[in-house]
Amino acid sequence: MGSTYRPDGAFVFPGTETINRAEVFSGPGYRAPRPRRSVWGSLSVVVSAVGLIAFFILPLGVLFGILGLRETADGTVAGHAASRAGLTLGLMGSLLWALFWLANALAGA
């Protein structure tokens, strides 16, 4: 068999061996492939939301948000809004906890 056949014997047009069929057949009647979502963005939202109660994990939410923003910066990965939301939630939660501790320290002094 020549180079126009796959190892299983199926015919392949020359030059199309590495083409992703999901992208080629995304016309009418087919669905385009869904973009990959940023795991860091989703983790950032979840960890920052939990961090509003358990303050010690808020820095992880901020870190995951930054990593998510870096991953989604070029637009090939979805989840930029989730990364921004998680980062904002983590920073605001950190600020609220700092104000809470400050108020407790001033009230106890």
Side-chain angles (χ1 to χ4, degrees), residues 41-108:
S42 301
L43 277 175
S44 175
V45 171
V46 171
V47 169
S48 293
V50 171
L52 294 176
I53 298 167
F55 67 91
F56 53 88
I57 63 170
L58 277 171
L60 282 177
V62 172
L63 175 68
F64 293 163
I66 292 169
L67 291 174
L69 286 176
R70 292 185 71 191
E71 184 180 24
T72 60
D74 61 354
T76 59
V77 179
H80 189 77
S83 299
R84 288 179 61 184
L87 178 63
T88 303
L89 191 60
L91 291 173
M92 295 300 287
S94 298
L95 179 66
L96 288 175
W97 274 104
L99 289 175
F100 175 74
W101 286 334
L102 180 66
N104 279 340
L106 293 176

Side-chain angles (χ1 to χ4, degrees), residues 25-47:
F25 297 109
S26 62
Y30 296 97
R31 292 188 179 180
R34 295 180 62 192
R36 191 172 64 89
R37 287 195 62 80
S38 171
V39 175
W40 295 117
S42 301
L43 277 175
S44 175
V45 171
V46 171
V47 169

